[in-house]
Amino acid sequence: MLTSMPDQALTRKRIFTLSRAWLTVMLVALVACAVPVQAQKAKVHRVAFIAAVTSVSELSGADPVNLAARAFVHGLRDLGYVEGRNLMLDIRTLEGRYERTPEILGDIVRLRPDVIFSSSQIVVERHLKAAAGIPVVTVASWSLVESGVAQSLARPGGTVTGFMMDVDAGVEAKRIELLRETIPGTMRVAYLGHPLAWESAAGKRVLEAAGKLGISLFHVSYTGTDLDAAFASIEREAPDAVFVPFGSTSFANRQRIGQFVSAKRLPCIAAYREIVEHGCLMSYGVDVSDVHRRAAGYVAKILEGAKPGELPIEQPTRFELVVNMRQAKALSLRIPQSIMLRADRVIE
């Protein structure tokens, strides 16, 4: 018994030493596993952000004035990508001059960003080759498949992915039906939009839907901020109502469009709730901030190694109907109960 005590103490000491050694090994292994993730977050990623119309002053900063840009920046921040820490955000804008796209893309490509985000589908459709194979995330107003940018929604297959604002170009057509239901006497409607929106599959289906309803739909064109001539044309033509489609030019000019139709006492249906907030009668469309927040998620996935061609192009699952009762009263319109029951939001 007396000789066994030192042996027992030695055994306990060996067990303690081995346990501590195993613990050290496990800690080292855990740290080793964590290093790639930390290194990835510590790396400074470059993301280019291309706006179609909005000024740089509204897009810049940690909390941009522009709603869509703010949602995008906050979305990246929530995922751990913070400008000044591990993110360099290169803000560019066409300021409504689409002819500047090759010049701006050329500057961007020379800086070799990890991802390009474009709020305009037109930039992607017309100038994809100029992006030189850099992954692109975009917000599309009409089908990227029909326009040839992607092979399919489930597997785009190229360098472009993103989010749709429409479902099979059907929402734009649905909007003209809502306008007729709200104002049964509507016969002539001005389509206030970019030429490419008018010529797109969505534009053609709106025209077709209007024809079936006996509505004469005519195009009032503008390409950026050149709205004065478009507004003058609408005043000359004196339509029964104005139709504002999806598109970055529509959203960027939301205040001017809303104020114009309100001042001229013109019923208007738009793709964006924000235009209604400035004086349009009603809207039917998606939440722009939500789409841009989700687009930031796709940018983050690509920064972490995902291939854009394998990220499905997502379509919206929810559309909201917004009615401006203040504008309805100013127009002496009685909104049908069928519309009011379906409204997700009513501005009193």
Side-chain angles (χ1 to χ4, degrees):
M1 292 293 293
L2 292 174
T3 57
S4 64
M5 289 299 293
D7 292 339
Q8 290 179 4
L10 183 60
T11 300
R12 284 197 298 270
K13 184 177 180 180
R14 286 174 177 169
I15 292 173
F16 176 75
T17 303
L18 287 171
S19 298
R20 192 164 63 176
W22 276 109
L23 181 60
T24 302
V25 169
M26 290 174 66
L27 287 172
V28 169
L30 286 171
V31 169
C33 290
V35 165
V37 176
Q38 294 299 326
Q40 186 179 46
K41 293 296 183 183
K43 176 187 174 183
V44 177
H45 301 272
R46 183 184 288 271
V47 175
F49 183 110
I50 306 176
V53 181
T54 310
S55 65
V56 172
S57 62
E58 292 185 27
L59 299 169
S60 304
D63 196 29
V65 173
N66 181 271
L67 299 174
R70 186 190 309 160
F72 182 82
V73 170
H74 286 190
L76 284 174
R77 186 184 305 161
D78 291 343
L79 294 168
Y81 295 95
V82 182
E83 195 170 9
R85 185 186 305 165
N86 61 354
L87 176 68
M88 185 176 293
L89 198 56
D90 188 8
I91 303 289
R92 304 298 180 98
T93 177
L94 303 176
E95 296 180 323
R97 295 165 54 199
Y98 286 88
E99 69 275 11
R100 295 185 61 223
T101 303
E103 170 198 342
I104 287 177
L105 274 175
D107 288 342
I108 287 171
V109 167
R110 279 190 286 275
L111 294 171
R112 298 306 301 174
D114 299 293
V115 187
I116 296 173
F117 171 79
S118 171
S119 62
S120 172
Q121 179 175 355
I122 297 169
V123 170
V124 178
E125 277 193 23
R126 291 294 180 91
H127 304 281
L128 182 57
K129 287 184 179 178
I134 296 170
V136 176
V137 175
T138 190
V139 174
S141 303
W142 52 87
S143 175
L144 288 168
V145 177
E146 288 188 49
S147 60
V149 173
Q151 295 175 13
S152 70
L153 294 177
R155 291 186 69 85
T159 59
V160 179
T161 187
F163 294 80
M164 299 285 295
M165 302 290 275
D166 200 351
V167 178
D168 300 327
V171 177
E172 294 279 49
K174 175 68 175 176
R175 202 175 297 118
I176 200 78
E177 294 169 2
L178 286 168
L179 178 62
R180 167 52 72 82
E181 184 179 347
T182 304
I183 313 173
T186 303
M187 299 300 294
R188 294 182 71 246
V189 176
Y191 180 105
L192 178 62
H194 194 282
L196 284 181
W198 174 253
E199 296 161 8
S200 70
K204 290 180 173 65
R205 286 173 192 169
V206 173
L207 187 61
E208 181 183 349
K212 290 179 180 177
L213 294 169
I215 293 175
S216 174
L217 188 70
F218 64 94
H219 184 211
V220 178
S221 176
Y222 76 103
T223 58
T225 56
D226 53 338
L227 277 166
D228 291 340
F231 288 161
S233 176
I234 290 174
E235 288 191 75
R236 284 194 305 271
E237 293 290 339
D240 298 319
V242 176
F243 180 99
V244 181
F246 283 126
S248 54
T249 50
S250 296
F251 185 76
N253 289 291
R254 58 195 178 278
Q255 183 172 353
R256 291 186 66 189
I257 293 171
Q259 290 175 346
F260 169 76
V261 295
S262 177
K264 300 302 177 182
R265 298 177 60 81
L266 280 167
C268 171
I269 188 163
Y272 302 106
R273 176 188 71 226
E274 290 78 7
I275 300 179
V276 177
E277 292 170 351
H278 288 293
C280 181
L281 177 63
M282 58 197 299
S283 67
Y284 184 67
V286 301
D287 185 329
V288 174
S289 294
D290 178 62
V291 170
H292 281 74
R293 191 177 297 108
R294 291 162 62 199
Y298 262 27
V299 169
K301 287 182 179 180
I302 293 171
L303 293 178
E304 290 160 11
K307 296 179 180 178
E310 296 175 358
L311 292 174
I313 296 168
E314 292 195 12
Q315 293 180 291
T317 57
R318 183 177 181 274
F319 297 89
E320 60 175 7
L321 174 62
V322 180
V323 178
N324 187 338
M325 287 304 296
R326 287 202 305 265
Q327 188 64 11
K329 290 172 184 175
L331 295 169
S332 301
L333 289 175
R334 182 180 178 277
I335 305 297
Q337 189 67 11
S338 59
I339 295 292
M340 295 302 294
L341 289 173
R342 279 179 279 168
D344 297 284
R345 183 182 172 195
V346 176
I347 298 174
E348 298 288 355

